[in-house]
C-alpha cells in the first residue's frame, strides 16, 4: 500500500508551522534571540500568540530543527542486522541530512540557508544549546529502541548506546563545521567524512556521486 497522504487540515497545520518558524528564525537572526518575544513572532507571521504556542510549546522550539527521530529510527530498524551498528546509524543520519538540505534550485538553497540560520542560533544561544543536547539524547534513545532485539541484554544495549552516541557526536561535529564553512560543502558529505574519520572507511557505505 502507498504512503498515506496528509489531509487538508494536516497540510494547513504544516504550512502554518513552517510560516511561523520562518518568521521566528528571521527575527532571531536579525535582532538576536533574546530581544525577540513570542508576541513579536506572532505579529510578524500574522497569527495569534496562542497559535504560535499551539505549534511551538516553548520559544526554544521555534529554532529547533524538526529532527525526524522516528524516521531515522525506522531507517535503522529496516537496515540489515549484518551491517556494523555504526554503518546502520550513520547511513540513516546521512539520509536525514540529505532530506534536510534537499530540493531543486531555489528550494534547495532556501532549505540550506534556513538550516544554517537555525544552527547558528543554536551555537550562539546557551538556552538553545541545552535544548539541542536534549534533542540529541532523544534521538539516541529512539534509535536504540528501534534496534529492538539487536540491543537486548545489558552488553548489547551498551554497545548500541555507545555506537549511536558516537555517530550522533560525529554528526554534530559535521554540523558545526558546516556552519563555520557557511554551507559551502554538502552536509551529507561532511557527515560521511566525520563518520569515516571516527570509525574508518567501512563505517560508511559507498555513496553514488550524482
Amino acid at each position: 500500500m502507498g504512503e498515506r497522504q496528509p489531509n487538508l487540515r494536516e497540510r494547513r497545520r504544516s504550512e502554518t508551522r513552517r510560516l511561523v518558524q520562518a518568521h521566528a528564525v528571521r527575527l532571531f537572526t536579525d535582532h538576536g534571540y533574546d530581544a525577540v518575544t513570542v508576541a513579536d513572532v506572532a505579529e510578524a507571521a500574522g497569527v495569534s500568540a496562542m497559535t504560535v504556542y499551539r505549534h511551538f510549546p516553548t520559544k526554544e522550539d521555534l529554532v529547533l530543527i524538526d529532527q525526524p527521530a522516528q524516521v531515522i529510527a525506522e531507517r535503522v530498524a529496516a537496515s540489515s542486522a549484518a551491517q556494523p551498528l555504526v554503518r546502520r546509524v550513520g547511513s540513516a543520519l546521512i539520509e536525514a541530512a540529505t532530506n534536510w538540505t534537499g530540493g531543486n534550485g531555489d528550494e534547495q538553497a532556501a532549505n540550506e540557508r534556513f538550516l544554517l540560520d537555525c544552527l547558528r542560533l543554536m551555537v550562539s544561544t546557551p538556552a538553545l544549546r541545552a535544548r539541542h543536547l536534549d534533542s540529541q539524547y532523544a534521538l539516541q534513545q529512539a534509535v536504540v529502541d528501534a534496534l529492538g532485539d539487536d540491543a537486548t541484554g545489558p552488553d548489547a544495549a551498551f554497545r548500541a548506546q555507545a555506537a549511536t552516541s558516537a555517530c550522533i557526536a560525529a554528526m554534530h561535529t559535521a554540523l558545526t563545521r558546516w556552519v563555520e564553512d557557511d554551507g559551502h560543502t554538502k552536509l551529507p558529505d561532511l557527515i560521511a567524512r566525520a563518520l569515516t574519520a571516527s570509525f574508518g572507511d567501512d563505517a560508511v557505505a559507498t555513496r553514488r556521486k550524482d
Side-chain angles (χ1 to χ4, degrees), residues 3-39:
E3 202 173 293
R4 186 182 75 85
Q5 296 300 311
N7 58 36
L8 179 59
R9 181 178 180 181
E10 290 168 337
R11 289 198 301 271
R12 286 178 175 171
R13 179 178 175 81
S14 179
E15 289 168 1
T16 300
R17 182 180 174 85
R18 285 197 299 270
L19 174 69
V20 169
Q21 190 171 35
H23 280 288
V25 171
R26 176 182 58 80
L27 289 173
F28 294 152
T29 299
D30 291 345
H31 304 290
Y33 178 80
D34 292 328
V36 177
T37 67
V38 171

Side-chain angles (χ1 to χ4, degrees), residues 73-151:
E74 289 172 357
R75 295 296 185 190
V76 173
S79 62
S80 171
Q83 296 184 78
L85 274 174
V86 292
R87 179 178 289 192
R88 297 175 67 185
V89 177
S91 295
L93 295 176
I94 291 170
E95 183 175 344
T98 301
N99 292 334
W100 288 336
T101 57
N104 297 312
D106 292 343
E107 180 186 9
Q108 181 175 7
N111 288 341
E112 290 181 346
R113 182 53 50 186
F114 177 76
L115 181 57
L116 278 168
D117 288 341
C118 288
L119 291 172
R120 284 198 185 93
L121 287 165
M122 288 180 196
V123 169
S124 62
T125 310
L128 294 176
R129 288 200 298 269
R131 285 298 303 276
H132 181 57
L133 289 175
D134 287 344
S135 70
Q136 288 187 321
Y137 179 75
L139 174 59
Q140 175 186 325
Q141 283 302 118
V143 170
V144 172
D145 291 344
L147 288 168
D149 293 341
D150 298 327

